[in-house]
Amino acid sequence: MSITYLEAIRAAQARALAEDPRVFIYGQDVGAFGGAFKATKGLAQEFPGRVVDAPISEDAMAGLAIGAALDGLRPILEMQFADFSTLAFNQIVNQAATLFWRTNVPCPLTLRLPCGGTAGSGPFHSQMLETIYAHYPGLVVLTPATVEDAYSMLLEAVAIDDPVIFCEHKFLYYHLKAEALPTEALPANEARIARTGRDLTIVTYSAMVHEALAAAEELRGEGWEVEVVDLRSVKPLDTDTVMASVARTGRLLCVGEAFPWGGVTAEVVARVVSEGFDLLDAPPMRLNAKDTPVPYHPNLWSAHRPTARTVAMAARKVLHS
Amino acid sequence: MLLARLFDEKFASLYRAGKIMGGVFLGRGQEALSVSIGVHLRTGDVFAPLIRDLAGRLAFHEPVLDAARTYLGSVQGPMRGRDGNVHRGRPKSGQLAMISHLGAMISVVNGILFARRMRGVDGTVGVASYGEGATSTGSFHEALNQAAVEQLPLVVVVANNQFAYSTPTVRQFACDSLLARATGYGVAGAAVDGTDLGACLQVVGRAIAQARAGRGPQLVVASLLRLCGHGEHDDAQYISPALKASPAGRDCVKVAEQYVLQQEWAGADTIAHWRAEAAQTIEAAVVTAQRESAPDPFAPHYWSALASQHRWERREEGS
Ligand SMILES: Cc1ncc(C[n+]2csc(CCOP(=O)(O)OP(=O)(O)O)c2C)c(N)n1
């Protein structure tokens, strides 16, 4: 048997619904239709009344989930695409994120954001928004890169007493496969060493983990041993694991698929430089998407985001400096 | 409503004396409408008040000390110094703590009502209160449509006080009456003279009863005038004398007092006694709040925004 990243997300939701009567799913087309990506396929039939179609009202969808969370339920809110969550931005960052701090009443909701680029999707169906949400106090932001993490971190997201922004990468939906669902998991806030090495640390997350792993394989042919750290969660950020890796390698490259201004890669570099300057043998480097909207045409799209080839090029720069 | 009026006056004088950090926003002229919400709500119901709803909050059993403590920054208030003035609440008691962004509370009320239904709890009503300015927001529209689609027991009370800050209604909407919107959303609508306590009690009471009886969302639109500035920093020179002299400009507290006297429900001396009692209650609350400590910036709990903080910390210690 093999299971895809998308099937893992569906399976995690099925399990959450089965195990916890407080869980329900709300989103556009999630009911009988099973969701735009089929992440909720069959769940409305299996759990009548608990997988509910929403009108195209992202603000009100988020507001309803917040109210339900306040009243003790555990909503999973599906945005059809991460890009449309900007219409719910106010509810997410001002209402959900501040609620516990203001009132001492928790707001346990999971916001599923199908994010990131796939060829041909263009400016409004491709965005990475983890940076924007990580900026706000009161949110947890998870960015699973593997089938196992998609499953276990979604279950943990539902169990967390805070609003969790669950960034699931559409590029990984279908082609990433695992043999089986995991039976145990790292806690969501711990980064994972996806590949060990001694010459360079690449810190990355979500779909870029796979580009970094491919680049590391390419660089092995050139005699370099590259360590890849998968952050898994960008907030909280596991600085300890990053720092320990940089202490071993002395070199750092941070790779992200989001726009280049600020963001997760900048945060990681800032932390390493300010807390571990002495560990570095060379200036650290960042590699992000380009500072334009995400282009539609596959030729442009694959030049807009980092790929194994550009990650390897950036890595060589750090290795040779 | 008398207590709210006098409490507001106290806050205004504390503001002028420089005793209040931040803004002060009064409900002067809107007490009749607001109190009509509070008196019809029951334990277990939900109320998302707005800035001019001290009367409704008190009628829905907000402790008198909450307002004083929040305005004066007491650590013992429900917001513990984290937010001030009108942004207070006790979600567990059904009093939601608003965010400033207008229109945003309605869908949160929807969510609570939706959750009650999912949990099999019957008979809950949720009320969200807004000014006419907030009806122009996308949130307002989305939430009313959502409530209609879900047939939730929601009552939205709109106080059309003729101005949103300084903006008159002609710059806010182009329909003849906001009530027309009810038809568009597929919800029940009712208009009321917001200066008339008797009418407000009846119309708001009926809307709440209809929602409770399962007849779906209700929109109440009241016409009245804000008898003060937007906040106490605002002298409201943009309100014309003609409008102040119009029926919408009547003072609902005076109208109610006259009605009570006319009906011989109480005499002038009884009303004077109510006033004195209310003043005493307010004085006691303010003195108590003033004696209490201000928040301590060295208390670590102020600097963590996550309910799950312990989850992450335990792991750090354990690892
Ligand atoms: C979304 C949003 N935009 C702007 C503001 C700033 N603001 C606060 S109160 C107010 C006027 C509100 O008018 P209205 O809704 O009619 O209520 P009223 O003050 O008249 O009771 C404005 C513009 C806000 N709080 N929220």
PDB file of all heavy atoms in Angstrom, chain A residues 26-60:
ATOM      1  N   TYR A  26     -15.190  22.936   7.963  1.00  0.00           N
ATOM      2  CA  TYR A  26     -15.989  23.977   7.317  1.00  0.00           C
ATOM      3  C   TYR A  26     -15.161  24.557   6.176  1.00  0.00           C
ATOM      4  O   TYR A  26     -13.972  24.836   6.358  1.00  0.00           O
ATOM      5  CB  TYR A  26     -16.303  25.062   8.359  1.00  0.00           C
ATOM      6  CG  TYR A  26     -17.302  26.122   7.953  1.00  0.00           C
ATOM      7  CD1 TYR A  26     -18.550  25.799   7.427  1.00  0.00           C
ATOM      8  CD2 TYR A  26     -17.013  27.471   8.137  1.00  0.00           C
ATOM      9  CE1 TYR A  26     -19.473  26.783   7.090  1.00  0.00           C
ATOM     10  CE2 TYR A  26     -17.930  28.475   7.815  1.00  0.00           C
ATOM     11  CZ  TYR A  26     -19.161  28.123   7.293  1.00  0.00           C
ATOM     12  OH  TYR A  26     -20.075  29.105   6.973  1.00  0.00           O
ATOM     13  N   GLY A  27     -15.760  24.706   5.019  1.00  0.00           N
ATOM     14  CA  GLY A  27     -15.027  25.270   3.884  1.00  0.00           C
ATOM     15  C   GLY A  27     -15.857  25.176   2.619  1.00  0.00           C
ATOM     16  O   GLY A  27     -16.889  24.502   2.584  1.00  0.00           O
ATOM     17  N   GLN A  28     -15.374  25.822   1.590  1.00  0.00           N
ATOM     18  CA  GLN A  28     -16.118  25.832   0.328  1.00  0.00           C
ATOM     19  C   GLN A  28     -16.001  24.474  -0.368  1.00  0.00           C
ATOM     20  O   GLN A  28     -14.891  23.967  -0.540  1.00  0.00           O
ATOM     21  CB  GLN A  28     -15.589  26.938  -0.585  1.00  0.00           C
ATOM     22  CG  GLN A  28     -15.877  28.329  -0.034  1.00  0.00           C
ATOM     23  CD  GLN A  28     -14.877  29.371  -0.491  1.00  0.00           C
ATOM     24  OE1 GLN A  28     -14.189  29.178  -1.480  1.00  0.00           O
ATOM     25  NE2 GLN A  28     -14.789  30.469   0.245  1.00  0.00           N
ATOM     26  N   ASP A  29     -17.111  23.901  -0.720  1.00  0.00           N
ATOM     27  CA  ASP A  29     -17.170  22.649  -1.488  1.00  0.00           C
ATOM     28  C   ASP A  29     -16.612  21.439  -0.749  1.00  0.00           C
ATOM     29  O   ASP A  29     -16.297  20.417  -1.366  1.00  0.00           O
ATOM     30  CB  ASP A  29     -16.423  22.802  -2.830  1.00  0.00           C
ATOM     31  CG  ASP A  29     -16.929  23.999  -3.626  1.00  0.00           C
ATOM     32  OD1 ASP A  29     -18.111  23.964  -4.015  1.00  0.00           O
ATOM     33  OD2 ASP A  29     -16.172  24.961  -3.837  1.00  0.00           O
ATOM     34  N   VAL A  30     -16.475  21.540   0.585  1.00  0.00           N
ATOM     35  CA  VAL A  30     -15.863  20.429   1.326  1.00  0.00           C
ATOM     36  C   VAL A  30     -16.850  19.292   1.595  1.00  0.00           C
ATOM     37  O   VAL A  30     -16.437  18.180   1.909  1.00  0.00           O
ATOM     38  CB  VAL A  30     -15.265  20.888   2.690  1.00  0.00           C
ATOM     39  CG1 VAL A  30     -14.146  21.884   2.476  1.00  0.00           C
ATOM     40  CG2 VAL A  30     -16.350  21.449   3.607  1.00  0.00           C
ATOM     41  N   GLY A  31     -18.132  19.579   1.469  1.00  0.00           N
ATOM     42  CA  GLY A  31     -19.145  18.592   1.845  1.00  0.00           C
ATOM     43  C   GLY A  31     -19.252  17.445   0.853  1.00  0.00           C
ATOM     44  O   GLY A  31     -18.259  16.773   0.565  1.00  0.00           O
ATOM     45  N   ALA A  32     -20.442  17.234   0.312  1.00  0.00           N
ATOM     46  CA  ALA A  32     -20.686  16.102  -0.590  1.00  0.00           C
ATOM     47  C   ALA A  32     -19.642  16.026  -1.708  1.00  0.00           C
ATOM     48  O   ALA A  32     -19.249  14.943  -2.142  1.00  0.00           O
ATOM     49  CB  ALA A  32     -22.084  16.226  -1.179  1.00  0.00           C
ATOM     50  N   PHE A  33     -19.180  17.176  -2.174  1.00  0.00           N
ATOM     51  CA  PHE A  33     -18.228  17.234  -3.280  1.00  0.00           C
ATOM     52  C   PHE A  33     -16.830  16.756  -2.861  1.00  0.00           C
ATOM     53  O   PHE A  33     -16.064  16.265  -3.683  1.00  0.00           O
ATOM     54  CB  PHE A  33     -18.181  18.668  -3.815  1.00  0.00           C
ATOM     55  CG  PHE A  33     -17.306  18.862  -5.009  1.00  0.00           C
ATOM     56  CD1 PHE A  33     -17.622  18.267  -6.227  1.00  0.00           C
ATOM     57  CD2 PHE A  33     -16.161  19.650  -4.936  1.00  0.00           C
ATOM     58  CE1 PHE A  33     -16.809  18.461  -7.340  1.00  0.00           C
ATOM     59  CE2 PHE A  33     -15.352  19.838  -6.040  1.00  0.00           C
ATOM     60  CZ  PHE A  33     -15.673  19.241  -7.247  1.00  0.00           C
ATOM     61  N   GLY A  34     -16.490  16.935  -1.601  1.00  0.00           N
ATOM     62  CA  GLY A  34     -15.205  16.431  -1.104  1.00  0.00           C
ATOM     63  C   GLY A  34     -14.030  17.379  -1.232  1.00  0.00           C
ATOM     64  O   GLY A  34     -12.885  16.980  -1.023  1.00  0.00           O
ATOM     65  N   GLY A  35     -14.305  18.650  -1.557  1.00  0.00           N
ATOM     66  CA  GLY A  35     -13.231  19.647  -1.599  1.00  0.00           C
ATOM     67  C   GLY A  35     -12.611  19.783  -2.976  1.00  0.00           C
ATOM     68  O   GLY A  35     -12.606  18.839  -3.770  1.00  0.00           O
ATOM     69  N   ALA A  36     -12.081  20.986  -3.248  1.00  0.00           N
ATOM     70  CA  ALA A  36     -11.488  21.268  -4.560  1.00  0.00           C
ATOM     71  C   ALA A  36     -10.360  20.289  -4.872  1.00  0.00           C
ATOM     72  O   ALA A  36     -10.144  19.924  -6.023  1.00  0.00           O
ATOM     73  CB  ALA A  36     -10.979  22.705  -4.603  1.00  0.00           C
ATOM     74  N   PHE A  37      -9.637  19.860  -3.857  1.00  0.00           N
ATOM     75  CA  PHE A  37      -8.529  18.908  -4.055  1.00  0.00           C
ATOM     76  C   PHE A  37      -8.877  17.505  -3.569  1.00  0.00           C
ATOM     77  O   PHE A  37      -8.033  16.630  -3.548  1.00  0.00           O
ATOM     78  CB  PHE A  37      -7.270  19.412  -3.342  1.00  0.00           C
ATOM     79  CG  PHE A  37      -6.728  20.674  -3.932  1.00  0.00           C
ATOM     80  CD1 PHE A  37      -7.006  21.902  -3.337  1.00  0.00           C
ATOM     81  CD2 PHE A  37      -5.979  20.646  -5.091  1.00  0.00           C
ATOM     82  CE1 PHE A  37      -6.522  23.074  -3.896  1.00  0.00           C
ATOM     83  CE2 PHE A  37      -5.486  21.812  -5.656  1.00  0.00           C
ATOM     84  CZ  PHE A  37      -5.763  23.035  -5.051  1.00  0.00           C
ATOM     85  N   LYS A  38     -10.098  17.367  -3.091  1.00  0.00           N
ATOM     86  CA  LYS A  38     -10.580  16.077  -2.574  1.00  0.00           C
ATOM     87  C   LYS A  38      -9.933  15.698  -1.240  1.00  0.00           C
ATOM     88  O   LYS A  38      -9.814  14.520  -0.905  1.00  0.00           O
ATOM     89  CB  LYS A  38     -10.352  14.941  -3.599  1.00  0.00           C
ATOM     90  CG  LYS A  38     -11.143  15.157  -4.889  1.00  0.00           C
ATOM     91  CD  LYS A  38     -12.626  14.852  -4.666  1.00  0.00           C
ATOM     92  CE  LYS A  38     -13.483  15.199  -5.873  1.00  0.00           C
ATOM     93  NZ  LYS A  38     -14.320  16.386  -5.707  1.00  0.00           N
ATOM     94  N   ALA A  39      -9.540  16.720  -0.494  1.00  0.00           N
ATOM     95  CA  ALA A  39      -8.938  16.457   0.818  1.00  0.00           C
ATOM     96  C   ALA A  39      -9.986  16.020   1.837  1.00  0.00           C
ATOM     97  O   ALA A  39      -9.642  15.531   2.915  1.00  0.00           O
ATOM     98  CB  ALA A  39      -8.202  17.699   1.324  1.00  0.00           C
ATOM     99  N   THR A  40     -11.278  16.226   1.511  1.00  0.00           N
ATOM    100  CA  THR A  40     -12.334  15.809   2.442  1.00  0.00           C
ATOM    101  C   THR A  40     -13.256  14.778   1.784  1.00  0.00           C
ATOM    102  O   THR A  40     -14.411  14.606   2.187  1.00  0.00           O
ATOM    103  CB  THR A  40     -13.173  17.021   2.916  1.00  0.00           C
ATOM    104  OG1 THR A  40     -13.701  17.690   1.760  1.00  0.00           O
ATOM    105  CG2 THR A  40     -12.345  18.003   3.705  1.00  0.00           C
ATOM    106  N   LYS A  41     -12.720  14.096   0.790  1.00  0.00           N
ATOM    107  CA  LYS A  41     -13.512  13.139   0.018  1.00  0.00           C
ATOM    108  C   LYS A  41     -14.181  12.093   0.923  1.00  0.00           C
ATOM    109  O   LYS A  41     -13.525  11.445   1.736  1.00  0.00           O
ATOM    110  CB  LYS A  41     -12.583  12.429  -0.966  1.00  0.00           C
ATOM    111  CG  LYS A  41     -13.287  11.558  -1.974  1.00  0.00           C
ATOM    112  CD  LYS A  41     -12.255  10.971  -2.925  1.00  0.00           C
ATOM    113  CE  LYS A  41     -12.790   9.740  -3.615  1.00  0.00           C
ATOM    114  NZ  LYS A  41     -11.716   9.047  -4.321  1.00  0.00           N
ATOM    115  N   GLY A  42     -15.485  11.978   0.785  1.00  0.00           N
ATOM    116  CA  GLY A  42     -16.231  10.962   1.530  1.00  0.00           C
ATOM    117  C   GLY A  42     -16.491  11.295   2.992  1.00  0.00           C
ATOM    118  O   GLY A  42     -17.253  10.588   3.662  1.00  0.00           O
ATOM    119  N   LEU A  43     -15.886  12.357   3.499  1.00  0.00           N
ATOM    120  CA  LEU A  43     -16.019  12.623   4.945  1.00  0.00           C
ATOM    121  C   LEU A  43     -17.423  13.103   5.312  1.00  0.00           C
ATOM    122  O   LEU A  43     -17.934  12.784   6.386  1.00  0.00           O
ATOM    123  CB  LEU A  43     -14.954  13.629   5.405  1.00  0.00           C
ATOM    124  CG  LEU A  43     -13.501  13.163   5.258  1.00  0.00           C
ATOM    125  CD1 LEU A  43     -12.532  14.236   5.754  1.00  0.00           C
ATOM    126  CD2 LEU A  43     -13.275  11.863   6.041  1.00  0.00           C
ATOM    127  N   ALA A  44     -18.050  13.865   4.413  1.00  0.00           N
ATOM    128  CA  ALA A  44     -19.405  14.346   4.710  1.00  0.00           C
ATOM    129  C   ALA A  44     -20.363  13.165   4.843  1.00  0.00           C
ATOM    130  O   ALA A  44     -21.282  13.184   5.669  1.00  0.00           O
ATOM    131  CB  ALA A  44     -19.878  15.302   3.615  1.00  0.00           C
ATOM    132  N   GLN A  45     -20.138  12.142   4.035  1.00  0.00           N
ATOM    133  CA  GLN A  45     -21.003  10.962   4.090  1.00  0.00           C
ATOM    134  C   GLN A  45     -20.710  10.143   5.351  1.00  0.00           C
ATOM    135  O   GLN A  45     -21.619   9.631   6.010  1.00  0.00           O
ATOM    136  CB  GLN A  45     -20.792  10.085   2.840  1.00  0.00           C
ATOM    137  CG  GLN A  45     -21.279  10.717   1.522  1.00  0.00           C
ATOM    138  CD  GLN A  45     -20.280  11.715   0.906  1.00  0.00           C
ATOM    139  OE1 GLN A  45     -19.255  12.025   1.515  1.00  0.00           O
ATOM    140  NE2 GLN A  45     -20.592  12.233  -0.276  1.00  0.00           N
ATOM    141  N   GLU A  46     -19.432  10.080   5.684  1.00  0.00           N
ATOM    142  CA  GLU A  46     -19.034   9.283   6.844  1.00  0.00           C
ATOM    143  C   GLU A  46     -19.404   9.972   8.163  1.00  0.00           C
ATOM    144  O   GLU A  46     -19.693   9.296   9.158  1.00  0.00           O
ATOM    145  CB  GLU A  46     -17.511   9.069   6.782  1.00  0.00           C
ATOM    146  CG  GLU A  46     -17.025   7.844   7.516  1.00  0.00           C
ATOM    147  CD  GLU A  46     -15.516   7.641   7.317  1.00  0.00           C
ATOM    148  OE1 GLU A  46     -14.998   7.928   6.214  1.00  0.00           O
ATOM    149  OE2 GLU A  46     -14.864   7.221   8.273  1.00  0.00           O
ATOM    150  N   PHE A  47     -19.368  11.309   8.156  1.00  0.00           N
ATOM    151  CA  PHE A  47     -19.644  12.065   9.385  1.00  0.00           C
ATOM    152  C   PHE A  47     -20.739  13.092   9.105  1.00  0.00           C
ATOM    153  O   PHE A  47     -20.466  14.291   8.982  1.00  0.00           O
ATOM    154  CB  PHE A  47     -18.362  12.751   9.880  1.00  0.00           C
ATOM    155  CG  PHE A  47     -17.238  11.795  10.147  1.00  0.00           C
ATOM    156  CD1 PHE A  47     -16.260  11.552   9.187  1.00  0.00           C
ATOM    157  CD2 PHE A  47     -17.159  11.113  11.360  1.00  0.00           C
ATOM    158  CE1 PHE A  47     -15.230  10.659   9.429  1.00  0.00           C
ATOM    159  CE2 PHE A  47     -16.130  10.215  11.608  1.00  0.00           C
ATOM    160  CZ  PHE A  47     -15.162   9.987  10.639  1.00  0.00           C
ATOM    161  N   PRO A  48     -21.985  12.638   9.040  1.00  0.00           N
ATOM    162  CA  PRO A  48     -23.076  13.539   8.632  1.00  0.00           C
ATOM    163  C   PRO A  48     -23.178  14.762   9.547  1.00  0.00           C
ATOM    164  O   PRO A  48     -23.066  14.640  10.771  1.00  0.00           O
ATOM    165  CB  PRO A  48     -24.332  12.661   8.757  1.00  0.00           C
ATOM    166  CG  PRO A  48     -23.839  11.254   8.831  1.00  0.00           C
ATOM    167  CD  PRO A  48     -22.450  11.285   9.359  1.00  0.00           C
ATOM    168  N   GLY A  49     -23.356  15.923   8.921  1.00  0.00           N
ATOM    169  CA  GLY A  49     -23.540  17.159   9.680  1.00  0.00           C
ATOM    170  C   GLY A  49     -22.254  17.772  10.199  1.00  0.00           C
ATOM    171  O   GLY A  49     -22.273  18.858  10.789  1.00  0.00           O
ATOM    172  N   ARG A  50     -21.129  17.105   9.979  1.00  0.00           N
ATOM    173  CA  ARG A  50     -19.880  17.631  10.551  1.00  0.00           C
ATOM    174  C   ARG A  50     -18.864  18.075   9.495  1.00  0.00           C
ATOM    175  O   ARG A  50     -17.743  18.458   9.832  1.00  0.00           O
ATOM    176  CB  ARG A  50     -19.261  16.567  11.471  1.00  0.00           C
ATOM    177  CG  ARG A  50     -20.141  16.332  12.707  1.00  0.00           C
ATOM    178  CD  ARG A  50     -19.655  15.159  13.503  1.00  0.00           C
ATOM    179  NE  ARG A  50     -18.354  15.410  14.082  1.00  0.00           N
ATOM    180  CZ  ARG A  50     -17.531  14.470  14.532  1.00  0.00           C
ATOM    181  NH1 ARG A  50     -17.891  13.200  14.466  1.00  0.00           N
ATOM    182  NH2 ARG A  50     -16.372  14.774  15.043  1.00  0.00           N
ATOM    183  N   VAL A  51     -19.264  18.013   8.248  1.00  0.00           N
ATOM    184  CA  VAL A  51     -18.401  18.520   7.168  1.00  0.00           C
ATOM    185  C   VAL A  51     -19.297  19.431   6.342  1.00  0.00           C
ATOM    186  O   VAL A  51     -20.161  18.969   5.602  1.00  0.00           O
ATOM    187  CB  VAL A  51     -17.823  17.369   6.324  1.00  0.00           C
ATOM    188  CG1 VAL A  51     -16.823  17.909   5.311  1.00  0.00           C
ATOM    189  CG2 VAL A  51     -17.154  16.333   7.229  1.00  0.00           C
ATOM    190  N   VAL A  52     -19.119  20.736   6.524  1.00  0.00           N
ATOM    191  CA  VAL A  52     -20.164  21.684   6.144  1.00  0.00           C
ATOM    192  C   VAL A  52     -19.665  22.646   5.058  1.00  0.00           C
ATOM    193  O   VAL A  52     -18.607  23.268   5.199  1.00  0.00           O
ATOM    194  CB  VAL A  52     -20.608  22.480   7.396  1.00  0.00           C
ATOM    195  CG1 VAL A  52     -21.710  23.471   7.040  1.00  0.00           C
ATOM    196  CG2 VAL A  52     -21.075  21.524   8.504  1.00  0.00           C
ATOM    197  N   ASP A  53     -20.463  22.772   3.994  1.00  0.00           N
ATOM    198  CA  ASP A  53     -20.153  23.717   2.919  1.00  0.00           C
ATOM    199  C   ASP A  53     -20.350  25.154   3.387  1.00  0.00           C
ATOM    200  O   ASP A  53     -21.366  25.474   4.014  1.00  0.00           O
ATOM    201  CB  ASP A  53     -21.096  23.475   1.730  1.00  0.00           C
ATOM    202  CG  ASP A  53     -20.686  22.255   0.925  1.00  0.00           C
ATOM    203  OD1 ASP A  53     -19.485  21.921   0.908  1.00  0.00           O
ATOM    204  OD2 ASP A  53     -21.563  21.641   0.294  1.00  0.00           O
ATOM    205  N   ALA A  54     -19.413  26.008   3.013  1.00  0.00           N
ATOM    206  CA  ALA A  54     -19.497  27.422   3.385  1.00  0.00           C
ATOM    207  C   ALA A  54     -19.757  28.260   2.145  1.00  0.00           C
ATOM    208  O   ALA A  54     -19.337  27.900   1.047  1.00  0.00           O
ATOM    209  CB  ALA A  54     -18.188  27.863   4.022  1.00  0.00           C
ATOM    210  N   PRO A  55     -20.430  29.414   2.310  1.00  0.00           N
ATOM    211  CA  PRO A  55     -20.510  30.359   1.196  1.00  0.00           C
ATOM    212  C   PRO A  55     -19.113  30.958   0.929  1.00  0.00           C
ATOM    213  O   PRO A  55     -18.212  30.797   1.756  1.00  0.00           O
ATOM    214  CB  PRO A  55     -21.482  31.429   1.701  1.00  0.00           C
ATOM    215  CG  PRO A  55     -21.468  31.312   3.190  1.00  0.00           C
ATOM    216  CD  PRO A  55     -21.101  29.892   3.521  1.00  0.00           C
ATOM    217  N   ILE A  56     -18.964  31.623  -0.195  1.00  0.00           N
ATOM    218  CA  ILE A  56     -17.648  32.206  -0.532  1.00  0.00           C
ATOM    219  C   ILE A  56     -17.473  33.483   0.272  1.00  0.00           C
ATOM    220  O   ILE A  56     -17.638  34.593  -0.213  1.00  0.00           O
ATOM    221  CB  ILE A  56     -17.540  32.462  -2.044  1.00  0.00           C
ATOM    222  CG1 ILE A  56     -17.864  31.153  -2.787  1.00  0.00           C
ATOM    223  CG2 ILE A  56     -16.135  32.931  -2.426  1.00  0.00           C
ATOM    224  CD1 ILE A  56     -18.021  31.327  -4.270  1.00  0.00           C
ATOM    225  N   SER A  57     -17.142  33.296   1.516  1.00  0.00           N
ATOM    226  CA  SER A  57     -17.084  34.387   2.490  1.00  0.00           C
ATOM    227  C   SER A  57     -15.949  34.092   3.463  1.00  0.00           C
ATOM    228  O   SER A  57     -16.187  33.674   4.601  1.00  0.00           O
ATOM    229  CB  SER A  57     -18.404  34.479   3.260  1.00  0.00           C
ATOM    230  OG  SER A  57     -19.483  34.757   2.401  1.00  0.00           O
ATOM    231  N   GLU A  58     -14.728  34.294   3.008  1.00  0.00           N
ATOM    232  CA  GLU A  58     -13.585  33.870   3.825  1.00  0.00           C
ATOM    233  C   GLU A  58     -13.567  34.543   5.198  1.00  0.00           C
ATOM    234  O   GLU A  58     -13.210  33.921   6.199  1.00  0.00           O
ATOM    235  CB  GLU A  58     -12.265  34.136   3.088  1.00  0.00           C
ATOM    236  CG  GLU A  58     -11.925  33.098   2.022  1.00  0.00           C
ATOM    237  CD  GLU A  58     -12.751  33.222   0.744  1.00  0.00           C
ATOM    238  OE1 GLU A  58     -13.481  34.211   0.592  1.00  0.00           O
ATOM    239  OE2 GLU A  58     -12.652  32.314  -0.110  1.00  0.00           O
ATOM    240  N   ASP A  59     -13.937  35.812   5.228  1.00  0.00           N
ATOM    241  CA  ASP A  59     -13.954  36.526   6.500  1.00  0.00           C
ATOM    242  C   ASP A  59     -14.956  35.867   7.459  1.00  0.00           C
ATOM    243  O   ASP A  59     -14.625  35.533   8.606  1.00  0.00           O
ATOM    244  CB  ASP A  59     -14.318  37.999   6.224  1.00  0.00           C
ATOM    245  CG  ASP A  59     -14.398  38.846   7.478  1.00  0.00           C
ATOM    246  OD1 ASP A  59     -15.271  38.563   8.320  1.00  0.00           O
ATOM    247  OD2 ASP A  59     -13.608  39.787   7.612  1.00  0.00           O
ATOM    248  N   ALA A  60     -16.161  35.656   6.974  1.00  0.00           N
ATOM    249  CA  ALA A  60     -17.196  35.056   7.830  1.00  0.00           C
ATOM    250  C   ALA A  60     -16.884  33.593   8.135  1.00  0.00           C
ATOM    251  O   ALA A  60     -17.220  33.091   9.214  1.00  0.00           O
ATOM    252  CB  ALA A  60     -18.575  35.184   7.179  1.00  0.00           C
TER     253      ALA A  60
END
